[in-house]
Amino acid sequence: MEKIAVICVGNRLMLDDGIGPAVFDELSKKYLFPKHVSLIDAGCMTMDLLPVVRENDFLIVVDAVDGTGEAPGTVFRFAPEDIADHPVMQSLHDLRVIDLLNAAALLGYEARGICFGVQVENMSPAVVTEGLTPDVYDSLPLAVDSVLAELVRHGVAFKHADGSPFVAPTESAELAGTPKQAAIEDDVDFAVHTR
Protein backbone atom coordinates (compact mmCIF):
# COMPACT_ATOMS: atom_id res chain seq x y z
CA MET A 1 0.00 0.00 0.00
CA GLU A 2 1.32 3.45 -0.94
CA LYS A 3 2.54 5.42 2.09
CA ILE A 4 1.55 9.09 1.91
CA ALA A 5 2.71 12.05 3.98
CA VAL A 6 0.79 15.33 4.08
CA ILE A 7 3.42 17.93 5.01
CA CYS A 8 2.02 21.29 6.12
CA VAL A 9 4.74 23.95 6.02
CA GLY A 10 4.73 27.40 7.61
CA ASN A 11 5.15 29.64 10.62
CA ARG A 12 1.98 30.12 12.67
CA LEU A 13 3.27 33.44 14.03
CA MET A 14 3.74 35.19 10.67
CA LEU A 15 0.15 35.75 9.45
CA ASP A 16 -0.40 34.10 6.04
CA ASP A 17 2.76 32.02 6.32
CA GLY A 18 0.61 30.02 8.74
CA ILE A 19 -1.66 28.61 6.02
CA GLY A 20 0.10 25.23 6.10
CA PRO A 21 -0.34 24.82 9.86
CA ALA A 22 -3.96 25.99 9.53
CA VAL A 23 -4.60 23.22 6.98
CA PHE A 24 -2.91 20.74 9.36
CA ASP A 25 -5.24 21.84 12.18
CA GLU A 26 -8.35 21.40 10.04
CA LEU A 27 -7.31 17.98 8.74
CA SER A 28 -6.30 16.63 12.16
CA LYS A 29 -9.41 18.00 13.86
CA LYS A 30 -12.04 16.95 11.31
CA TYR A 31 -10.77 13.70 9.75
CA LEU A 32 -9.40 10.27 10.69
CA PHE A 33 -6.82 8.85 8.29
CA PRO A 34 -5.55 5.28 7.91
CA LYS A 35 -2.11 4.31 9.23
CA HIS A 36 -0.44 4.64 5.83
CA VAL A 37 -1.24 8.39 5.76
CA SER A 38 0.80 10.70 8.00
CA LEU A 39 -0.09 14.32 8.82
CA ILE A 40 2.95 16.44 9.61
CA ASP A 41 3.01 20.01 10.95
CA ALA A 42 6.51 20.71 9.63
CA GLY A 43 7.02 24.32 10.65
CA CYS A 44 9.66 25.56 8.22
CA MET A 45 10.93 23.17 5.56
CA THR A 46 14.27 21.67 6.63
CA MET A 47 16.46 18.69 5.87
CA ASP A 48 14.99 17.14 9.03
CA LEU A 49 12.23 15.97 6.67
CA LEU A 50 14.58 13.58 4.84
CA PRO A 51 13.36 10.61 6.93
CA VAL A 52 9.80 11.47 5.86
CA VAL A 53 10.87 11.22 2.22
CA ARG A 54 12.62 7.91 2.95
CA GLU A 55 9.57 6.43 4.66
CA ASN A 56 6.88 7.53 2.18
CA ASP A 57 6.04 6.93 -1.46
CA PHE A 58 4.09 10.13 -2.09
CA LEU A 59 4.25 13.59 -0.49
CA ILE A 60 1.49 16.19 -0.45
CA VAL A 61 2.95 19.54 0.60
CA VAL A 62 0.90 22.58 1.62
CA ASP A 63 2.74 25.90 1.73
CA ALA A 64 2.34 29.63 1.27
CA VAL A 65 3.49 31.07 -2.06
CA ASP A 66 4.01 34.57 -3.40
CA GLY A 67 4.59 36.27 -6.72
CA THR A 68 1.90 34.43 -8.63
CA GLY A 69 0.10 37.50 -9.91
CA GLU A 70 -3.17 36.07 -8.58
CA ALA A 71 -5.37 37.38 -5.76
CA PRO A 72 -4.53 36.51 -2.15
CA GLY A 73 -6.14 33.21 -1.19
CA THR A 74 -5.78 31.64 -4.66
CA VAL A 75 -4.92 27.95 -4.28
CA PHE A 76 -2.46 26.36 -6.72
CA ARG A 77 -1.72 22.70 -7.43
CA PHE A 78 1.68 22.10 -8.99
CA ALA A 79 4.50 19.59 -9.22
CA PRO A 80 7.61 20.48 -7.14
CA GLU A 81 9.76 20.89 -10.26
CA ASP A 82 7.29 23.41 -11.74
CA ILE A 83 7.85 25.99 -9.04
CA ALA A 84 11.63 25.43 -9.00
CA ASP A 85 12.12 27.05 -12.42
CA HIS A 86 9.28 29.55 -12.30
CA PRO A 87 10.72 33.08 -12.62
CA VAL A 88 8.29 34.71 -10.18
CA MET A 89 6.22 32.23 -8.18
CA GLN A 90 8.11 31.07 -5.13
CA SER A 91 7.79 29.27 -1.84
CA LEU A 92 8.39 31.56 1.09
CA HIS A 93 10.98 29.25 2.64
CA ASP A 94 14.68 28.87 1.92
CA LEU A 95 14.40 25.12 1.39
CA ARG A 96 11.97 24.20 -1.39
CA VAL A 97 10.22 20.86 -1.83
CA ILE A 98 12.28 20.14 -4.96
CA ASP A 99 15.47 20.74 -2.93
CA LEU A 100 14.29 18.24 -0.33
CA LEU A 101 13.43 15.64 -3.00
CA ASN A 102 16.75 16.18 -4.78
CA ALA A 103 18.71 15.80 -1.54
CA ALA A 104 16.75 12.65 -0.75
CA ALA A 105 17.48 11.24 -4.22
CA LEU A 106 21.21 11.75 -3.62
CA LEU A 107 20.83 9.57 -0.52
CA GLY A 108 18.95 6.94 -2.49
CA TYR A 109 15.47 7.81 -1.20
CA GLU A 110 12.79 8.32 -3.78
CA ALA A 111 9.32 9.77 -3.37
CA ARG A 112 6.96 11.53 -5.72
CA GLY A 113 5.02 14.59 -4.67
CA ILE A 114 2.52 17.31 -5.37
CA CYS A 115 2.27 20.77 -3.82
CA PHE A 116 -0.63 23.00 -2.91
CA GLY A 117 0.35 26.64 -2.58
CA VAL A 118 -1.82 29.47 -1.33
CA GLN A 119 -1.06 33.00 -2.52
CA VAL A 120 -0.38 35.18 0.53
CA GLU A 121 -1.39 38.74 1.23
CA ASN A 122 0.89 39.39 4.21
CA MET A 123 3.46 37.06 5.74
CA SER A 124 5.66 39.76 7.24
CA PRO A 125 3.68 41.43 10.03
CA ALA A 126 5.31 44.30 11.95
CA VAL A 127 4.85 42.26 15.12
CA VAL A 128 4.46 38.52 15.59
CA THR A 129 0.84 37.78 14.69
CA GLU A 130 -1.03 34.48 14.69
CA GLY A 131 -3.91 34.18 12.24
CA LEU A 132 -4.57 34.63 8.53
CA THR A 133 -5.64 37.68 6.55
CA PRO A 134 -9.34 37.54 5.53
CA ASP A 135 -8.88 36.39 1.91
CA VAL A 136 -6.38 33.69 2.86
CA TYR A 137 -8.60 32.57 5.74
CA ASP A 138 -11.54 32.31 3.33
CA SER A 139 -9.47 30.00 1.11
CA LEU A 140 -8.76 27.56 3.95
CA PRO A 141 -11.72 25.23 3.12
CA LEU A 142 -10.59 25.05 -0.53
CA ALA A 143 -7.01 24.25 0.51
CA VAL A 144 -8.28 21.48 2.82
CA ASP A 145 -10.62 20.12 0.11
CA SER A 146 -7.71 20.12 -2.36
CA VAL A 147 -5.66 17.89 -0.04
CA LEU A 148 -8.65 15.60 0.53
CA ALA A 149 -9.23 15.35 -3.24
CA GLU A 150 -5.59 14.38 -3.74
CA LEU A 151 -5.93 11.64 -1.13
CA VAL A 152 -9.09 10.36 -2.84
CA ARG A 153 -7.21 10.45 -6.17
CA HIS A 154 -4.66 8.12 -4.55
CA GLY A 155 -7.35 5.71 -3.38
CA VAL A 156 -7.22 6.64 0.30
CA ALA A 157 -10.39 5.87 2.27
CA PHE A 158 -10.76 7.98 5.41
CA LYS A 159 -13.42 9.08 7.88
CA HIS A 160 -14.84 12.19 9.44
CA ALA A 161 -13.80 12.78 13.05
CA ASP A 162 -17.11 11.31 14.26
CA GLY A 163 -16.22 8.00 12.58
CA SER A 164 -18.61 8.31 9.64
CA PRO A 165 -17.02 7.48 6.27
CA PHE A 166 -15.98 10.30 3.98
CA VAL A 167 -17.82 10.04 0.68
CA ALA A 168 -16.35 12.02 -2.20
CA PRO A 169 -18.89 14.08 -4.16
CA THR A 170 -19.92 12.85 -7.58
CA GLU A 171 -18.62 14.60 -10.68
CA SER A 172 -21.96 16.34 -11.30
CA ALA A 173 -22.01 17.63 -7.71
CA GLU A 174 -18.45 18.89 -8.11
CA LEU A 175 -19.36 20.79 -11.26
CA ALA A 176 -22.42 22.32 -9.64
CA GLY A 177 -21.01 23.29 -6.28
CA THR A 178 -17.27 23.82 -6.31
CA PRO A 179 -15.03 26.74 -7.22
CA LYS A 180 -13.81 27.21 -10.75
CA GLN A 181 -10.52 25.62 -11.80
CA ALA A 182 -8.27 26.82 -14.57
CA ALA A 183 -4.75 26.31 -15.89
CA ILE A 184 -2.12 28.99 -16.27
CA GLU A 185 -0.13 28.70 -19.50
CA ASP A 186 3.02 30.64 -18.58
CA ASP A 187 6.36 28.91 -18.22
CA VAL A 188 4.71 26.10 -16.24
CA ASP A 189 1.42 24.30 -16.27
CA PHE A 190 -0.21 24.19 -12.88
CA ALA A 191 -3.81 24.35 -11.78
CA VAL A 192 -5.27 27.44 -10.19
CA HIS A 193 -8.26 27.15 -7.90
CA THR A 194 -10.18 30.29 -7.06
CA ARG A 195 -13.03 30.90 -4.69
Side-chain angles (χ1 to χ4, degrees):
M1 185 171 290
E2 185 179 48
K3 291 188 72 177
I4 299 174
V6 179
I7 303 172
C8 300
V9 180
N11 185 339
R12 294 175 182 275
L13 303 178
M14 298 298 286
L15 279 178
D16 293 340
D17 192 34
I19 187 66
V23 169
F24 172 86
D25 291 345
E26 290 293 298
L27 290 171
S28 58
K29 182 172 47 176
K30 295 182 178 177
Y31 301 95
L32 302 171
F33 297 100
K35 289 182 180 178
H36 68 280
V37 175
S38 303
L39 290 180
I40 300 168
D41 185 353
C44 292
M45 182 82 70
T46 69
M47 287 296 178
D48 291 343
L49 291 170
L50 281 171
V52 174
V53 179
R54 181 185 66 222
E55 296 162 8
N56 289 278
D57 304 302
F58 192 80
L59 308 176
I60 299 171
V61 179
V62 182
D63 197 0
V65 294
D66 199 10
T68 66
E70 297 294 327
T74 302
V75 176
F76 295 85
R77 179 186 186 272
F78 53 89
E81 60 272 13
D82 289 343
I83 196 172
D85 297 326
H86 195 275
V88 179
M89 184 175 169
Q90 58 187 314
S91 166
L92 300 176
H93 301 105
D94 292 335
L95 180 68
R96 301 167 303 170
V97 180
I98 191 67
D99 300 328
L100 179 66
L101 293 175
N102 287 341
L106 289 173
L107 295 171
Y109 315 148
E110 193 170 327
R112 297 168 293 115
I114 200 74
C115 303
F116 291 100
V118 179
Q119 171 62 50
V120 299
E121 180 175 334
N122 183 348
M123 48 71 64
S124 300
V127 295
V128 172
T129 307
E130 188 169 356
L132 302 170
T133 58
D135 287 337
V136 173
Y137 178 80
D138 289 346
S139 73
L140 183 56
L142 179 57
V144 169
D145 286 349
S146 298
V147 172
L148 296 176
E150 193 68 34
L151 290 170
V152 168
R153 206 174 280 120
H154 282 268
V156 176
F158 50 93
K159 298 178 180 180
H160 294 280
D162 64 6
S164 63
F166 176 86
V167 179
T170 63
E171 186 175 328
S172 59
E174 286 179 6
L175 294 175
T178 60
K180 223 162 74 171
Q181 300 177 9
I184 289 185
E185 302 280 342
D186 289 335
D187 297 328
V188 296
D189 182 23
F190 48 83
V192 182
H193 306 268
T194 57
R195 291 184 307 285

